[in-house]
Amino acid sequence: MNVFNKINQYEAPTSDLVALPPVSVIVCSWNEIRNLEELLPMLDTQEYPKFEIIVVDDRSYDGTYDFLLTEAHNFKHLRFIRIEETPEHLSPKKYALTLGIKSAKYDVILLTDADCRPQSSTWIQSMASCLTKGKEIVLGFSPYFPEKTTLNKFIRYETLLTAVQYFGLALYGMPYMGVGRNLMYRKSLFFKNRGFAKHTNILGGDDDLFMNDVANEQNTTICLDEASFMYSIPKHSWQDWYRQKTRHISVSKHYKTNHKLTLGIIASSQILFWLSFIILIPLVMFSQLVYCILGFWLLRLIVQWVVLGKINTRLDRTISSYSIPYWDFLMTVYYVVMGVVNTLPKRKKMRWR
């Protein structure tokens, strides 16, 4: 918890930038015409001195290309690229991203997805102001729009917990991933490390695997300014969400060993915490040991509740802080179930989602 509490203690350093750098915002799109119709006006009217928007249309057949052809002149900052065919054995998303980054005019790249919406008109400015001297990567936060369904609440809690981990470990000096819905890095860093060459044939990982390779204590920082938050549209069915999560978890197999070990310890400690309550306490219910176990259990629960509650408030109240213990228990079930699922063989498909 001390590692994660660094998020509550974090204060962004005063920017040492003489002038904000020009930024290339890149959005990869596959059959996202409805989302682009909403997102592009929000991006085009960002309050920032110099930026461009690059939409990479990857073989869309929903009218996206026609929309971009006819409407591009209405957007001051927009350029677009059309992909007709993806080379075999290459991840379509990574290929699209690589083309977008290659075509970018500026060294600072800011990534998001078509189904995202910026929290404010100063999203670019907020992220870019964190790219201080010596930093090449800015990890942003991308929560999901709230809905009243159980699935949505669980997705929001899982997103909060993931952010707590990658922000907390980044502040601890061990950055291991980022979220491509809100991620900034330098074009020069991308090509210096040969882009996605190490993981070209893996469907996912355009954000977390690349960060796992290139992020370190010296070149990485985080952005917790509310104006930098990029909201996203969540999955609406358990099946779609399950497919997304199994892909994400399978990608994590390719993390560096120390990162996998650290994340494994975090997940295991949570599982053991709840198992101690479910199994150990009933076993020692009528002995003096029950007070000791229950005391440690309650202490850990309260400390976690307070720390996560404060982080939750700082991250735009992603969920109700009162519900943290409930969702924490369900996350334990999730860890166990997905851990088993992740050991099963899977068929590889080159799909976006």
Side-chain angles (χ1 to χ4, degrees), residues 173-232:
M174 191 189 292
Y176 73 95
M177 69 163 283
V179 175
R181 302 190 302 273
N182 195 7
L183 180 63
M184 173 176 279
Y185 52 79
R186 295 190 181 277
K187 179 177 180 179
S188 53
L189 176 72
F190 181 81
F191 287 110
K192 182 171 65 178
N193 290 275
R194 299 177 59 240
F196 306 122
K198 292 183 182 178
H199 314 288
T200 305
N201 62 334
I202 300 172
L203 178 59
D206 51 274
D207 44 13
D208 51 352
L209 286 185
F210 180 62
M211 289 296 101
N212 201 255
D213 283 337
V214 304
N216 58 54
E217 183 178 3
Q218 287 72 41
N219 70 0
T220 304
T221 188
I222 69 173
C223 189
L224 298 181
D225 180 9
E226 279 192 33
S228 73
F229 296 170
M230 177 62 80
Y231 272 80
S232 185

Side-chain angles (χ1 to χ4, degrees), residues 62-82:
D62 65 343
T64 294
Y65 184 53
D66 291 335
F67 164 74
L68 293 172
L69 279 175
T70 57
E71 298 296 327
H73 69 279
N74 292 322
F75 299 104
K76 181 180 178 181
H77 305 280
L78 177 65
R79 294 195 293 119
F80 64 91
I81 301 168
R82 168 72 176 178

Side-chain angles (χ1 to χ4, degrees), residues 195-313:
F196 306 122
K198 292 183 182 178
H199 314 288
T200 305
N201 62 334
I202 300 172
L203 178 59
D206 51 274
D207 44 13
D208 51 352
L209 286 185
F210 180 62
M211 289 296 101
N212 201 255
D213 283 337
V214 304
N216 58 54
E217 183 178 3
Q218 287 72 41
N219 70 0
T220 304
T221 188
I222 69 173
C223 189
L224 298 181
D225 180 9
E226 279 192 33
S228 73
F229 296 170
M230 177 62 80
Y231 272 80
S232 185
I233 300 171
K235 301 298 183 184
H236 292 101
S237 75
W238 286 98
Q239 183 179 14
D240 288 342
W241 172 81
Y242 170 80
R243 186 183 300 117
Q244 180 188 55
K245 296 314 297 181
T246 51
R247 187 178 75 241
H248 288 173
I249 292 174
S250 66
V251 166
S252 67
K253 291 179 180 179
H254 303 278
Y255 286 180
K256 294 175 183 176
T257 301
N258 62 324
H259 295 156
K260 288 190 287 186
L261 181 61
T262 301
L263 295 173
I265 291 172
I266 292 172
S268 298
S269 68
Q270 182 166 343
I271 294 170
L272 290 173
F273 168 72
W274 283 102
L275 281 179
S276 69
F277 181 76
I278 296 171
I279 297 175
L280 292 181
I281 289 183
L283 288 176
V284 297
M285 182 62 71
F286 301 106
S287 74
Q288 293 293 327
L289 217 60
V290 68
Y291 299 109
C292 181
I293 295 174
L294 186 59
F296 279 118
W297 188 87
L298 286 174
L299 177 62
R300 192 266 191 187
L301 178 66
I302 292 170
V303 170
Q304 176 179 281
W305 198 347
V306 171
V307 170
L308 290 185
K310 288 183 178 180
I311 297 173
N312 179 51
T313 299

Side-chain angles (χ1 to χ4, degrees), residues 23-29 32-33 35-46 48 50-57 63-82 100 103-106 110 112 114 124:
V23 173
S24 294
V25 178
I26 298 178
V27 182
C28 293
S29 170
E32 296 277 11
I33 184 172
N35 280 320
L36 289 175
E37 288 172 343
E38 288 188 29
L39 175 64
L40 290 180
M42 295 180 180
L43 296 183
D44 198 56
T45 54
Q46 285 283 302
Y48 197 76
K50 192 172 185 179
F51 71 100
E52 64 173 348
I53 306 164
I54 302 173
V55 174
V56 184
D57 173 27
T64 294
Y65 184 53
D66 291 335
F67 164 74
L68 293 172
L69 279 175
T70 57
E71 298 296 327
H73 69 279
N74 292 322
F75 299 104
K76 181 180 178 181
H77 305 280
L78 177 65
R79 294 195 293 119
F80 64 91
I81 301 168
R82 168 72 176 178
S103 70
K105 293 179 182 177
Y106 309 126
L110 180 53
T112 192
I124 300 176

Side-chain angles (χ1 to χ4, degrees), residues 13 87 110-111 143 148-149 318 351:
L110 180 53
L111 305 179
K148 294 183 178 181
T149 65
T318 305
R351 296 176 56 184

Side-chain angles (χ1 to χ4, degrees), residues 62-132:
D62 65 343
T64 294
Y65 184 53
D66 291 335
F67 164 74
L68 293 172
L69 279 175
T70 57
E71 298 296 327
H73 69 279
N74 292 322
F75 299 104
K76 181 180 178 181
H77 305 280
L78 177 65
R79 294 195 293 119
F80 64 91
I81 301 168
R82 168 72 176 178
I83 296 176
E84 297 289 351
E85 186 177 356
T86 299
E88 286 189 31
H89 310 301
L90 292 182
S91 160
K93 179 70 177 291
K94 289 175 185 168
Y95 181 67
L97 264 176
T98 300
L99 290 186
I101 293 171
K102 277 185 176 180
S103 70
K105 293 179 182 177
Y106 309 126
D107 185 50
V108 178
I109 304 297
L110 180 53
L111 305 179
T112 192
D113 288 340
D115 61 351
C116 295
R117 306 290 182 266
Q119 169 88 330
S120 72
S121 61
T122 57
W123 167 61
I124 300 176
Q125 178 179 324
S126 182
M127 290 289 286
S129 64
C130 293
L131 200 67
T132 52

